Amino acid sequence: MDSWPNQEALNKALNIYRVSMRSFIIFHLKKIPGMNIEDVVIDSVGDWRADEIDRILSESDRDIGSVIDINDFPHLVNKNWGDAFEKTLNDDKTFRNQLWLIVECRNADWAHPPEGDAEFESTRAHLFLIADVLGKINKSDAKDRVEVIRDELDDTAERLADAEEWLRKMEAKNAEHKKSLAEAEKHLETAKLEKSKYDEDNATLSKQVDEKEKLRKKLSKQLKSARAETDKYKKNLSNTKKRLEKSEAAHTGYKERLETKSNELKDIKDELAAIEMEKTADKKHLKTISKELEEAKAKWDASEARFATISNELVSVQAEKEDSEKYLAATQNLLTTVAIGDQTVFPPLGTDAAVRIIDRRGTDKRNYLMHLLEQKQPTIIYVQSEEKIDELLTFVGQEKAQVIGRHDERTSEVKETEMLKKLENGELIAIVSNITFSTLVSSHRIEHFVFCHLTPGLDEFFKRCQPAFTLEKNTYLHLIYNDEQDVKNLDEWLAQKYPDREVLKNLYRALEGFIGVNRHFVKPENLYSKLDIERLEITELGIETGLAIFEEVGALERNNDGIKLLPFSGRKSKIHRKGEALKDEIEEIRSFQLEQSVEKIWEEILGALDIDLEKYLLKSNVASGEAEVAAEIVLEEEETSSYEASSRSMLSFWIESFEFDACVFGCKSPIDA
């Protein structure tokens, strides 16, 4: 080694550096709370080195400080920089680069060549580097010893100049490391900005939750008021029930008189027995007794005839009671269906028709729907969007929301059929939907179709009306949209649902910038956080339409793994053409649904569905109106029993409760109606 002074000097300096760094690193790693020092070291180095350290510790009595070496120092410092070293070294990022340079020095070919001494310039430069690192970790004695070793080497001007040139190269390499660190800091700043945006969005959602809670409290108050009104109706029904009980008490009087006659017959039998005994005792009075016997038998026959008459009267009264109950139920159902406030009904009830339109355009939707849902009759409610579905289920309250089905684009046909079955058997009272049903058939027996918003497209409107004309019972189409807010809602929805061509181009370019073309699959939900939706002037609804259009024209592939962008094929989009057609027809859509009379709407529906009016009314006369026919038969009867009077009282109660306007039906009085 005496003939290799440079290599000897470097080895001495590395040994001093190894001892000093071991104590410095172990001292700071022990400060990490809740972690065992051995676990920290093994977790910080690579898998191969971790296995080697674990083996050494298990096979010898050496401690962890004596096992770690120069190659381990950069891994340990980088892995635990923030937890153990950053504060002590004043966030000196060059320190970590210097550790890697020392590792390169130790492992370099010039440091231990097979023949000859190490390079002087590299040796001297690394001695400066080692001394600088020892100074940063406050190992001044070790630093001085390394500097002494460095000074003992030949420091001629020529060699010093070469060493400085080598240091400049090292500084250039260090600058590249600094550049990489700057880019990492830039990415960190971007992440902080995204986190700030997330916090703002979270605050907005919290505000929306508070507003929803206020709305819930308001609806709860309205529900309480509605229940009070229902209690009032129940009280009136109770009074009617009492009158029915009085009628039944009269029937009980008939029974009591029958029992009295039975007792009289028993007494007559006793008299006959006494007469028979007298006949045996005194035959002289046989003729008189025979006459009395005939009179008694005549009384018996008369009593039996009267008993049979009273029994027949009781059966007749019971049958009349059952008929009246059926009439009352049918009349109540009819009045409940059409008598919620003032409205226009077409065709009028004086006309035989199984389907009628109830015109309530411009009404208070919420109150109208709450009244209608209280009847618990099978109902389909059409709204504009999934957002409107959420609003409806919120304002009706949790109790009703549990018995109202939700139907949208993601509902399968199997699920749709299941919901309609539940609506038919009473498990659900209504289904709210923003799309047209595909499995609705006549057997489902829907009683009400409610149009809460303007339907986007007249063809779609007619499709939603069509099932009503195939159902097997009276059905009502309720029009409850208005001409201001719903027009605005439809315009906004069309603009969001069907973005124009330029917006779609910008969306494709944005997607191309994030996920590229013909690359890996990306989950759609991951795009929303990356896309600048506000800059693109598009909504999440528009993004969904855009993805569907790209898929339709072959510019996008979609599966369970997500979506993958493909090059444009030049194909045309039916979805885009449909959206543009709806925008072009917006005035016609508004004019028909808002301005046309209910009679004109009725005619247009029949024409669009190719229904012959005369044949339809003839079919309706046979298949519908059972409740109305039953009401007319009962109301036209001349005789008046006590139970009929009670039934008519119940009819008057329903008419008064719903403020029924008889003039709507073209008749002279509510009873005629």
Side-chain angles (χ1 to χ4, degrees), residues 21-265:
M21 280 297 294
R22 280 175 174 172
S23 62
F24 172 77
I25 289 175
I26 294 300
F27 175 79
H28 284 83
L29 290 182
K30 287 182 177 180
K31 292 182 179 181
I32 298 176
M35 292 289 289
N36 180 278
I37 183 67
E38 287 80 8
D39 293 338
V40 174
V41 171
I42 290 174
D43 186 59
S44 301
V45 299
D47 294 339
W48 177 86
R49 179 60 176 158
D51 294 339
E52 184 181 25
I53 292 175
D54 186 65
R55 179 183 58 77
I56 294 172
L57 292 177
S58 62
E59 293 178 356
S60 66
D61 296 329
R62 295 173 62 183
D63 59 20
I64 190 67
S66 66
V67 174
I68 61 175
D69 206 343
I70 293 175
N71 286 346
D72 302 323
F73 297 162
H75 295 288
L76 295 170
V77 172
N78 284 334
K79 180 71 174 180
N80 304 284
W81 177 255
D83 295 331
F85 301 101
E86 183 180 17
K87 185 175 181 182
T88 300
L89 294 167
N90 299 319
D91 195 22
D92 183 4
K93 296 181 175 60
T94 62
F95 178 81
R96 291 181 282 181
N97 295 331
Q98 290 175 319
L99 298 185
W100 285 112
L101 292 174
I102 293 174
V103 171
E104 291 178 2
C105 162
R106 178 181 183 275
N107 299 333
D109 292 336
W110 61 263
H112 40 78
E115 295 180 1
D117 198 1
E119 295 177 6
F120 172 79
E121 291 81 5
S122 299
T123 301
R124 184 170 178 79
H126 280 88
L127 291 177
F128 272 97
L129 181 60
I130 293 171
D132 185 49
V133 170
L134 293 174
K136 289 182 179 180
I137 64 173
N138 295 322
K139 300 291 184 177
S140 55
D141 291 340
K143 177 183 179 183
D144 293 340
R145 290 164 59 194
V146 172
E147 288 178 344
V148 169
I149 295 171
R150 182 195 64 202
D151 294 337
E152 289 176 353
L153 293 176
D154 184 7
D155 58 347
T156 63
E158 181 180 356
R159 289 184 174 181
L160 181 60
D162 293 338
E164 288 175 350
E165 177 63 21
W166 187 88
L167 280 175
R168 281 194 295 272
K169 292 179 180 179
M170 292 299 102
E171 287 174 353
K173 191 173 183 180
N174 191 29
E176 292 179 0
H177 287 295
K178 288 182 179 179
K179 183 178 179 181
S180 298
L181 287 173
E183 290 178 354
E185 289 175 348
K186 183 177 180 181
H187 287 307
L188 178 61
E189 188 65 27
T190 302
K192 289 181 179 179
L193 291 174
E194 290 178 351
K195 181 178 181 300
S196 175
K197 185 176 182 304
Y198 170 79
D199 292 339
E200 292 176 0
D201 293 340
N202 191 37
T204 301
L205 289 174
S206 177
K207 183 178 179 181
Q208 291 176 353
V209 169
D210 293 340
E211 291 175 353
K212 294 294 184 181
E213 179 62 18
K214 291 180 181 179
L215 179 60
R216 186 192 64 78
K217 291 181 179 179
K218 180 180 178 181
L219 292 174
S220 178
K221 184 176 180 181
Q222 293 176 351
L223 178 60
K224 184 177 180 181
S225 175
R227 286 176 175 170
E229 188 177 356
T230 300
D231 292 341
K232 178 181 177 182
Y233 291 155
K234 288 181 178 179
K235 184 176 180 182
N236 291 334
L237 285 172
S238 177
N239 293 335
T240 302
K241 184 178 179 181
K242 290 179 180 178
R243 291 195 294 271
L244 289 174
E245 290 174 351
K246 290 181 180 179
S247 176
E248 291 176 351
H251 301 158
T252 304
Y254 284 118
K255 292 181 180 180
E256 291 176 352
R257 288 195 292 274
L258 286 174
E259 291 175 356
T260 300
K261 293 302 179 181
S262 296
N263 292 331
E264 290 178 358
L265 290 175

Side-chain angles (χ1 to χ4, degrees), residues 300-312:
W300 169 265
D301 293 338
S303 296
E304 280 190 336
R306 188 174 181 185
F307 178 82
T309 300
I310 292 174
S311 296
N312 292 333

Side-chain angles (χ1 to χ4, degrees), residues 346-406:
F346 191 85
L349 291 187
T351 304
D352 290 323
V355 181
R356 289 183 172 86
I357 301 178
I358 299 180
D359 183 8
R360 291 304 308 274
R361 289 174 287 187
T363 190
D364 184 339
K365 296 181 186 180
R366 296 193 173 190
N367 289 338
Y368 191 88
L369 282 174
M370 292 299 289
H371 279 300
L372 188 61
L373 292 174
E374 284 294 334
Q375 314 312 315
K376 298 180 180 179
Q377 297 168 340
T379 301
I380 297 293
I381 303 173
Y382 283 112
V383 297
Q384 181 174 287
S385 61
E386 292 188 34
E387 180 183 359
K388 297 301 181 182
I389 294 178
D390 296 333
E391 289 182 7
L392 186 144
L393 294 177
T394 298
F395 84 73
V396 299
Q398 184 177 4
E399 182 179 351
K400 278 193 173 59
Q402 292 176 349
V403 290
I404 297 177
R406 179 192 182 99

Side-chain angles (χ1 to χ4, degrees), residues 305-463:
R306 188 174 181 185
F307 178 82
T309 300
I310 292 174
S311 296
N312 292 333
E313 289 177 356
L314 184 60
V315 171
S316 177
V317 168
Q318 184 65 28
E320 290 173 356
K321 176 183 177 183
E322 292 176 356
D323 291 340
S324 298
E325 286 176 345
K326 291 180 181 178
Y327 153 75
L328 182 60
T331 304
Q332 176 182 338
N333 182 55
L334 178 63
L335 296 180
T336 298
T337 301
V338 300
I340 303 177
D342 298 327
Q343 59 240 302
T344 300
V345 180
F346 191 85
L349 291 187
T351 304
D352 290 323
V355 181
R356 289 183 172 86
I357 301 178
I358 299 180
D359 183 8
R360 291 304 308 274
R361 289 174 287 187
T363 190
D364 184 339
K365 296 181 186 180
R366 296 193 173 190
N367 289 338
Y368 191 88
L369 282 174
M370 292 299 289
H371 279 300
L372 188 61
L373 292 174
E374 284 294 334
Q375 314 312 315
K376 298 180 180 179
Q377 297 168 340
T379 301
I380 297 293
I381 303 173
Y382 283 112
V383 297
Q384 181 174 287
S385 61
E386 292 188 34
E387 180 183 359
K388 297 301 181 182
I389 294 178
D390 296 333
E391 289 182 7
L392 186 144
L393 294 177
T394 298
F395 84 73
V396 299
Q398 184 177 4
E399 182 179 351
K400 278 193 173 59
Q402 292 176 349
V403 290
I404 297 177
R406 179 192 182 99
H407 182 261
D408 54 34
E409 288 89 345
R410 291 180 295 279
T411 305
S412 66
E413 288 192 0
V414 174
K415 182 65 176 178
E416 177 182 304
T417 302
E418 179 183 340
M419 278 195 292
L420 291 171
K421 189 67 176 177
K422 289 183 178 180
L423 186 64
E424 180 184 354
N425 61 29
E427 294 181 57
L428 297 176
I429 63 173
I431 299 175
V432 58
S433 175
N434 68 320
I435 63 171
T436 304
F437 286 79
S438 60
T439 63
L440 185 58
V441 295
S442 60
S443 62
H444 289 123
R445 301 176 65 83
I446 309 301
E447 294 192 35
H448 303 280
F449 290 83
V450 184
F451 293 84
C452 290
H453 304 97
L454 296 175
T455 304
L458 299 184
D459 289 342
E460 203 68 21
F461 177 78
F462 296 139
K463 287 180 183 178

Side-chain angles (χ1 to χ4, degrees), residues 612-637:
D612 186 283
L613 179 60
E614 293 185 2
K615 291 183 179 179
Y616 171 72
L617 292 178
L618 179 61
K619 174 184 175 183
S620 300
N621 191 29
V622 175
S624 68
E626 291 183 1
E628 297 173 43
V629 172
E632 290 181 10
I633 293 173
V634 175
L635 291 172
E636 289 173 359
E637 290 179 354

